[in-house]
Amino acid sequence: MSTFKELGLNDEILKALTDLGYETPSEIQEKAVPQVISSTQDLKAFAQTGTGKTAAFSLPVLQKLDTNSKATQAIILSPTRELAVQIGKNIESFSKYMKGVNVLTVYGGANIEEQIRGLRKGVQIVVGTPGRTVDLIKRGKLKLENVQWLILDEADEMLNMGFKDELDQVLEVTPVEKQTLLFSATFPREVESIARNYMDDPMEITAGQKNKGSDNVTNEYYMVTERNRYPALRRICDANPDIYGIVFCRTKRETAQVADNLIQDGYNADALHGDLSQAQRDGVMQKFRNKSLQMLVATDVAARGLDVNNLTHVINYKLPDQIEAYTHRSGRTGRAGNKGLSIAIITNKELSKLRPIERKINKKFEKKDVPSGEEICKSQLFSLINNVKETEVNHKQIDSYLESIYSSLEGLDREELIQKFVSVEFNKFLKHYANSRDLNEAERSRTDERGKSRDDENMTRFFINLGRKDDLNPGKLIGLINQQEITDNVEIGQIEILDTFSFFELDKNFTDETISAFEGADFNGRSVNVEITQKKKRSGGGGRGRRDRRGGSEDRRGRGRRYEGGNRSERRSGGRSDRNDSRRRDGDSKDNRRSSDRPDRSDRSDRSAGFGRRRN
Ligand code: AMP
């Protein structure tokens, strides 16, 4: 492992890092810092949240910055105001011993005139949210012709939030010869296409595995009925008296409801969602950061940019629609080398959502039983006893009362005293959990789930010119299909491996995409040919498609694996080039649900720029 000094950083930066308590570089810093210091090649970096990305791109930029020039030399785009502010603050800390470094953070929802005044003074590094950055460019106030570094932080999030147009606009006004540094925790097609269109032969670095969840995070799930989702959440919280975590919900309304219920039931919780004013959001975040709140109930969007390192739990009250969002949620725990736990509370209907997440994070969810009342009482009791043992007595404050306390407790022996003190705290749990029900729901097997949709009419059957003789088996075929990245969650149906060729079924919504994705593909050096073929008749016999005259088939129907995804509409929209647009349209006009029932995509504070189609 290298030291920061060995990465080539100057003394001023090293001193600032020591002040911040950064002792050794994280993996992404170790890889990115020397690369950007020594080369102007574009860089594509796969890094989870919380891995030290900010220093990874900021330190080399600071090292190479021309402090004699006041021109804007680096522009850093980040998806949310909170994250942008965090980055700006970090850069200020990193550069506190350097002379003449000016950093400005620009974001929507704040006074633009003030930001323009800030720009006039001459800032070498601008950190901005995409909407406000474009607004300032259009007004001619932010000039990027001298930019040497363009940094896209959490590129996947920016695209998820519908900022593709803004990214395009910024990318187009920056000089061609700049160095682009793209950081992303996940790499869906949209991010790849930004990299393809705007980056020149980028060097790729990875900290941890691509699209994978953090190694420090354990993933668990609890199976309940819909009615028992909230009671299960309570039990999970009660079984973990020292919990400090985020409870993720899908909609603003659900977030507000769950937070209200928790507060009413006496938990130290609050809600964070897009309907709150910026001041309310700042207030809630502040309380959570300083641990006045134990639990933050939040939508995905609202929780972005929240820089808290020591969360014990992330709870998925409802799993997100998009797999990437799970990676982001779970990445909020297990940060900065800590261990973390990401819990999903699911119903049988949602069981099929686990598989694609497992594939992406390359880890299994462990099934856990919702704790019984007895187990909860036990963990509360021991936590209480532990607290009593650890509590320091403040003699100055209580000594004057002690005499009268002793005399009023006279007559109780040690055992009785302990029993009574414990009961004061503990009776509420005993009462709440007396005769408590078992909340666990029997799990329908994952095979049932598979079998159910296998027979549907929504599959196209494909012929592929590879078979057992080419060393193909069902697992390898699934691997080959996944490699083509047809879309995030395409559903794979029946697989039939024959000697010299094979068949597979795949969601018919992606028929054209499948054919084009396989163009030019190869398997062990053999070029692959995929064609649409006729469906095999379900009742006996084979279909009218090609047959293998030479031997038996390995028919995986009913046993085969399936690349399961979220709901069908989500699968339909996924992976298409118009994905963000179509989602935005749904969100803006077609969806008649109340806005608070829709997934929260409301971190739109900086979307007042008014270019193009977005309506807010
Ligand atoms: P980031 O991924 O940049 O948001 O960083 C996550 C957290 O880790 C932040 O609180 C950083 O201050 C902290 N951090 C980043 N790099 C280091 C390091 N080398 N040593 C200690 N802490 C770090």
Side-chain angles (χ1 to χ4, degrees):
M1 193 184 284
S2 341
T3 60
F4 279 111
K5 197 175 170 62
E6 284 161 356
L7 301 188
L9 294 165
N10 65 37
D11 287 345
E12 285 95 348
I13 296 176
L14 292 176
K15 202 163 162 220
L17 293 177
T18 309
D19 286 359
L20 288 167
Y22 288 20
E23 286 170 7
T24 44
S26 67
E27 188 185 355
I28 191 75
Q29 292 160 1
E30 207 167 15
K31 290 179 176 169
V33 174
Q35 169 66 21
V36 181
I37 288 180
S38 62
S39 156
T40 54
Q41 190 182 358
D42 287 345
L43 184 77
K44 232 167 99 179
F46 300 86
Q48 306 288 330
T49 48
T51 50
K53 282 181 290 133
T54 315
F57 58 72
S58 309
L59 299 180
V61 166
L62 283 170
Q63 170 88 16
K64 292 175 86 178
L65 199 73
D66 178 2
T67 50
N68 294 318
S69 158
K70 292 216 160 170
T72 300
Q73 296 159 51
I75 171 86
I76 301 165
L77 293 181
S78 109
T80 64
R81 166 198 156 127
E82 283 79 15
L83 192 56
V85 169
Q86 192 62 42
I87 294 170
K89 280 190 186 152
N90 281 351
I91 297 178
E92 278 168 12
S93 319
F94 299 147
S95 62
K96 74 176 185 187
Y97 295 110
M98 292 174 70
K99 286 217 176 70
V101 176
N102 294 318
V103 187
L104 182 74
T105 307
V106 296
Y107 45 82
N111 188 334
I112 197 164
E113 293 303 327
E114 217 168 280
Q115 294 172 357
I116 292 171
R117 277 196 293 280
L119 287 172
R120 266 198 211 113
K121 288 184 195 151
V123 279
Q124 297 107 340
I125 303 176
V126 174
V127 188
T129 49
R132 180 54 61 95
T133 303
V134 170
D135 197 352
L136 289 163
I137 294 170
K138 292 264 170 175
R139 288 172 187 234
K141 304 298 178 193
L142 175 58
K143 301 195 173 69
L144 299 181
E145 60 265 19
N146 291 309
V147 155
Q148 288 179 49
W149 300 278
L150 168 71
I151 295 144
L152 304 174
D153 190 26
E154 305 215 349
D156 51 351
E157 286 298 298
M158 288 197 276
L159 292 169
N160 265 335
M161 290 169 74
F163 284 128
K164 168 119 187 9
D165 292 351
E166 285 80 356
L167 293 197
D168 286 341
Q169 290 176 59
V170 177
L171 284 155
E172 268 153 25
V173 297
T174 46
V176 180
E177 61 280 4
K178 69 184 176 291
Q179 184 174 25
T180 302
L181 313 175
L182 185 151
F183 285 75
S184 206
T186 58
F187 246 70
R189 282 190 162 198
E190 295 87 340
V191 181
E192 283 293 358
S193 109
I194 288 270
R196 233 187 352 264
N197 295 338
Y198 291 106
M199 297 176 84
D200 185 19
D201 183 27
M203 152 114 187
E204 256 192 45
I205 57 172
T206 306
Q209 285 175 291
K210 274 189 208 177
N211 288 344
K212 298 281 153 56
S214 160
D215 286 343
N216 294 336
V217 178
T218 306
N219 300 273
E220 295 177 349
Y221 74 100
Y222 292 83
M223 174 62 71
V224 293
T225 59
E226 190 58 55
R227 196 164 61 98
N228 286 334
R229 203 188 288 271
Y230 177 72
L233 172 66
R234 279 194 67 173
R235 290 206 189 174
I236 293 165
C237 298
D238 287 343
N240 296 281
D242 297 323
I243 191 168
Y244 177 48
I246 305 182
V247 179
F248 279 100
C249 298
R250 286 184 60 252
T251 64
K252 295 178 220 169
R253 170 188 282 239
E254 188 177 75
T255 304
Q257 234 160 37
V258 171
D260 278 355
N261 289 346
L262 286 172
I263 294 164
Q264 270 176 28
D265 290 326
Y267 295 87
N268 189 7
D270 210 340
L272 189 70
H273 56 71
D275 278 353
L276 303 182
S277 69
Q278 191 60 49
Q280 286 171 317
R281 281 168 60 166
D282 288 347
V284 174
M285 286 210 197
Q286 188 53 31
K287 279 198 283 174
F288 188 58
R289 274 198 201 100
N290 65 27
K291 295 202 172 177
S292 320
L293 280 182
Q294 253 188 300
M295 265 175 302
L296 186 70
V297 188
T299 56
D300 293 281
V301 172
R304 276 177 205 139
L306 185 67
D307 183 39
V308 179
N309 281 336
N310 43 1
L311 293 185
T312 57
H313 289 70
V314 158
I315 300 179
N316 295 268
Y317 187 74
K318 290 255 178 85
L319 281 171
D321 285 340
Q322 289 176 297
I323 303 176
E324 278 83 16
Y326 182 85
T327 325
H328 282 282
R329 287 180 177 188
S330 58
R332 306 243 143 240
T333 181
R335 288 162 70 111
N338 298 322
K339 290 264 170 247
L341 184 57
S342 175
I343 286 175
I345 305 176
I346 62 165
T347 63
N348 259 311
K349 257 199 205 153
E350 294 158 346
L351 189 59
S352 63
K353 284 190 164 189
L354 291 186
R355 177 69 70 97
I357 296 174
E358 287 177 340
R359 280 172 190 265
K360 187 134 269 179
I361 63 178
N362 204 24
K363 276 184 175 181
K364 282 264 168 226
F365 275 86
E366 211 182 306
K367 184 170 187 306
K368 289 279 175 181
D369 285 336
V370 180
S372 65
E374 200 179 319
E375 284 162 331
I376 289 167
C377 289
K378 205 163 137 192
S379 67
Q380 286 286 346
L381 186 57
F382 284 108
S383 157
L384 172 68
I385 301 305
N386 215 32
N387 273 345
V388 170
K389 268 168 68 180
E390 308 257 295
T391 298
E392 281 189 26
V393 176
N394 186 337
H395 286 285
K396 229 171 148 186
Q397 299 264 312
I398 68 159
D399 277 2
S400 57
Y401 305 104
L402 282 178
E403 207 153 311
S404 43
I405 294 173
Y406 292 148
S407 71
S408 67
L409 295 175
E410 224 169 29
L412 295 172
D413 64 20
R414 183 177 181 272
E415 273 71 30
E416 281 173 312
L417 253 179
I418 293 175
Q419 287 158 17
K420 280 187 182 288
F421 268 102
V422 166
S423 301
V424 168
E425 264 297 306
F426 197 53
N427 278 353
K428 72 170 186 216
F429 284 102
L430 288 178
K431 192 167 157 219
H432 181 74
Y433 286 113
N435 310 317
S436 57
R437 296 173 293 128
D438 178 8
L439 299 186
N440 291 292
E441 172 72 354
E443 187 171 309
R444 260 200 329 250
S445 78
R446 296 196 192 192
T447 326
D448 290 349
E449 289 288 309
R450 288 196 298 271
K452 212 169 55 161
S453 72
R454 181 70 43 76
D455 284 335
D456 70 25
E457 288 302 305
N458 296 315
M459 294 283 168
T460 299
R461 185 170 160 87
F462 293 92
F463 157 87
I464 183 164
N465 65 330
L466 302 170
R468 268 193 293 269
K469 292 219 159 110
D470 304 289
D471 200 23
L472 191 73
N473 60 33
K476 287 182 182 170
L477 179 52
I478 290 170
L480 183 64
I481 295 167
N482 289 340
Q483 265 171 32
Q484 309 316 312
E485 298 186 353
I486 297 160
T487 181
D488 273 353
N489 315 311
V490 72
E491 187 172 338
I492 302 171
Q494 186 182 6
I495 284 177
E496 200 178 343
I497 307 285
L498 301 143
D499 274 357
T500 55
F501 53 84
S502 307
F503 299 98
F504 61 90
E505 288 181 348
L506 217 133
D507 188 336
K508 77 172 182 201
N509 289 305
F510 296 104
T511 302
D512 294 344
E513 285 89 340
T514 305
I515 293 290
S516 50
F518 271 101
E519 271 165 22
D522 81 297
F523 178 76
N524 294 343
R526 219 190 132 185
S527 76
V528 174
N529 173 33
V530 165
E531 293 167 22
I532 300 167
T533 186
Q534 283 205 288
K535 279 244 176 103
K536 187 179 177 180
K537 286 208 175 102
R538 295 293 189 203
S539 51
R544 280 177 292 145
R546 298 171 194 236
R547 293 264 183 81
D548 186 359
R549 295 192 195 92
R550 266 170 285 187
S553 73
E554 191 173 342
D555 188 340
R556 297 288 301 227
R557 190 173 172 212
R559 292 184 290 130
R561 277 169 287 175
R562 167 187 157 210
Y563 198 11
E564 294 154 315
N567 60 41
R568 187 158 296 284
S569 63
E570 178 192 328
R571 285 199 298 272
R572 263 187 212 130
S573 69
R576 287 190 192 161
S577 56
D578 63 349
R579 184 175 176 178
N580 288 310
D581 282 336
S582 63
R583 208 182 312 139
R584 199 159 51 219
R585 274 198 302 275
D586 288 348
D588 284 352
S589 56
K590 288 191 182 163
D591 192 338
N592 293 326
R593 284 177 292 169
R594 292 174 54 162
S595 73
S596 55
D597 287 335
R598 285 187 232 129
D600 183 6
R601 307 199 197 287
S602 56
D603 196 2
R604 304 260 167 93
S605 51
D606 72 333
R607 288 192 179 169
S608 52
F611 305 115
R613 295 156 293 167
R614 190 173 289 111
R615 282 183 286 129
N616 284 308

